[in-house]
Amino acid sequence: MLTALRLNTHKLKGELKDSYACSAGYDLRIIFKFVEYEQTQAILLESIGTHDEVY
């Protein structure tokens, strides 16, 4: 059975205002930002952990 995955990606505020967050499971968060790398757009992973660990 195929289950849809919702990442709930959203832009952050405050000190992390240039970054985004998404969910990767019940309490796993990924903090990332879009950057330029070797003349192409890339994603820089800044932090991965539980909600309490990354915020």
Side-chain angles (χ1 to χ4, degrees):
M1 184 165 117
L2 183 61
T3 304
L5 176 64
R6 296 188 111 172
L7 298 178
N8 295 321
T9 302
H10 58 281
K11 185 137 176 69
L12 298 175
K13 298 177 183 176
E15 291 182 28
L16 297 171
K17 66 181 173 66
D18 295 326
S19 300
Y20 293 80
C22 67
S23 299
Y26 175 71
D27 194 33
L28 185 60
R29 303 292 184 270
I30 300 171
I31 308 296
F32 65 96
K33 66 173 62 171
F34 296 102
V35 297
E36 184 82 15
Y37 179 75
E38 296 184 355
Q39 300 178 346
T40 190
Q41 192 174 46
I43 295 174
L44 174 65
L45 298 178
E46 299 181 285
S47 185
I48 300 173
T50 65
H51 185 275
D52 292 340
E53 292 171 340
V54 299
Y55 295 113

